[in-house]
Amino acid sequence: MVESSTLPPAVTDGIRHLLDEAGVVEDADLVARILATGVGMGLDRADRLDLKITSAALTEMRAAFQLFAPFRGVPKVTVFGSARTAPDSPLYRLTVELTAALAARGWMTVTGAGPGIMQAAAEGAGPTHSLGVSIRLPFEEKPNAIIAAHERNVAMKYFFTRKLMLVKESSGFVCLPGGFGTLDEMFELLTLQQTGKAVPTPIVLLDRPGGAFWAGLRRFADEQLIPDGVISADDLDRVVMTDSVDAAVEEITRFYRNYVSLRWVGRRLVLRLRSEPTDAEVSALNDRFADLLADGAIERRGPLKAEREDEDDLAAPRLVMTFAQRRVGDLHHLIRAVNALPSAPAEARPA
């Protein structure tokens, strides 16, 4: 196998020249790495199917990035649910109510752009607050009319690129009852959170009033998964199961009442906040969450050197700590505690 870093100097120089000619200036090193990887695959004599997969994935991701780029500063919630849910279903009406309420609070809705729950979510959010990431299947319907009418949709050939874009840009998630696809998306969300491969976000499992769909998941976890030791007893604490639209909206928005974002700088974790915590509040957090730290204490301080160099949200108050990497799945507990501090803003704001 030929590593991109071992390409002949003439090829590396040629890539740099190509980027110069094309006018690529920003992040040219990363663009060069992408091109070098493609050349490396050619030198590897990669199978044609492998090359087609790589080419299609990059093309689809570029199209998706272009779709989302104009809305980068707008908070988004992704809604998952069954394409088979009928318009006269209580779940359909519940979804319309949910996304309309979130749109009124400044949130956009991202869906798989299909019928059923996906159409209900786009209908509630309205055309100006909806984005779609559809999948091309031989039996799948075209993007629903709300998404298609405003051309705010990107069609994907592969599920893995579609799932990436359904998750990457969103600051909250709502799952309604559905089949294999919905459950696959929901379990991937939980896996990403449990393993720390995604930053903590609010996840709501929403059912119709009096419904027992998600209660079955809780029962299965309590009776099988937890006793067998394959998940921890508090792994489902990071989700809210409810049949109330008001509770769902509150969970999505309240998660960002005080918490803004996080960043890892080496072994140190930086939590950016909206309000500066008091000394007493920081002391209380240390007492409560000492077991989540690898060493040292939670400290209130200004931006770290790496953040200053990147000009990364420098005005936000910060809590800095050496977080135990093996406990990364428990970060949501700390974030909820930070949101509940007396010094936190009274009103939640979009993420």
Side-chain angles (χ1 to χ4, degrees), residues 6-329:
T6 61
L7 293 177
V11 175
T12 303
D13 292 341
I15 290 173
R16 294 196 187 102
H17 178 71
L18 175 63
L19 296 181
D20 289 340
E21 288 291 306
V24 176
V25 177
E26 189 171 352
D27 296 320
D29 58 327
L30 294 177
V31 179
R33 187 183 303 175
I34 293 170
L35 295 178
T37 299
V39 173
M41 292 183 70
L43 295 175
D44 294 340
R45 297 184 179 179
D47 183 82
R48 183 171 178 80
L49 177 59
D50 293 343
L51 294 172
K52 289 175 68 175
I53 292 172
T54 304
S55 174
L58 280 175
T59 300
E60 292 181 354
M61 285 192 288
R62 181 191 178 196
F65 295 153
Q66 289 175 322
L67 173 68
F68 280 88
F71 312 104
R72 189 149 292 153
V74 183
K76 304 172 192 67
V77 60
T78 295
V79 176
F80 295 115
S82 176
R84 303 184 186 188
T85 302
D88 60 354
S89 164
L91 286 173
Y92 193 102
R93 295 192 294 272
L94 196 73
T95 305
V96 172
E97 183 182 347
L98 167 77
T99 54
L102 286 168
R105 288 163 173 79
W107 287 69
M108 296 189 76
T109 293
V110 181
T111 72
I117 291 298
M118 293 172 280
Q119 178 162 324
E123 182 180 325
T128 63
H129 282 74
S130 302
L131 293 171
V133 186
S134 60
I135 186 75
R136 294 195 295 270
L137 295 174
F139 55 84
E140 187 79 2
E141 297 183 33
K142 295 180 180 179
N144 64 65
I146 298 167
I147 295 291
H150 290 76
E151 298 183 346
R152 287 190 172 182
N153 175 70
V154 59
M156 301 292 207
K157 178 178 181 179
Y158 298 117
F159 274 110
F160 75 89
T161 49
R162 183 196 194 208
K163 288 166 72 175
L164 170 66
M165 295 311 304
L166 286 172
V167 171
K168 175 184 177 291
E169 297 287 334
S170 290
S171 301
F173 301 89
V174 179
C175 303
L176 289 102
F180 291 151
T182 300
L183 293 175
D184 173 54
E185 289 153 345
M186 183 270 298
F187 279 121
E188 177 154 347
L189 281 177
L190 295 182
T191 301
L192 291 171
Q193 295 287 308
Q194 182 193 54
T195 57
K197 295 297 288 183
V199 298
T201 51
I203 300 172
V204 176
L205 307 185
L206 180 62
D207 203 347
R208 66 182 181 276
F213 188 90
W214 298 118
L217 172 64
R218 169 67 74 178
R219 186 168 58 252
F220 179 64
D222 290 342
E223 294 177 359
Q224 302 293 333
L225 302 180
I226 295 172
D228 285 352
V230 293
I231 69 170
S232 299
D234 65 348
D235 271 344
L236 283 181
D237 289 354
R238 62 175 52 86
V239 307
V240 168
M241 298 182 184
T242 184
D243 61 4
S244 164
V245 165
D246 289 343
V249 171
E250 173 72 6
E251 170 63 11
I252 295 294
T253 57
R254 184 181 58 194
F255 198 86
Y256 300 97
R257 176 187 172 191
N258 195 17
Y259 167 70
V260 176
S261 62
L262 63 80
R263 175 175 174 175
W264 292 94
V265 180
R267 295 178 60 238
R268 288 182 292 181
L269 171 67
V270 181
L271 289 186
R272 283 79 166 259
L273 311 179
R274 300 195 190 281
S275 293
E276 185 89 28
T278 66
D279 290 340
E281 289 171 342
V282 174
S283 178
L285 290 173
N286 274 296
D287 290 341
R288 181 176 173 185
F289 296 105
D291 63 319
L292 298 185
L293 305 180
D295 56 63
I298 300 173
E299 299 177 329
R300 185 181 59 188
R301 58 163 299 164
L304 300 180
K305 179 181 178 182
E307 296 177 287
R308 293 195 302 271
E309 291 174 347
D310 295 340
E311 298 184 356
D312 194 354
D313 202 359
L314 301 183
R318 283 159 164 74
L319 292 175
V320 179
M321 67 211 75
T322 305
F323 199 86
Q325 293 276 356
R326 61 184 176 79
R327 299 294 301 275
V328 70

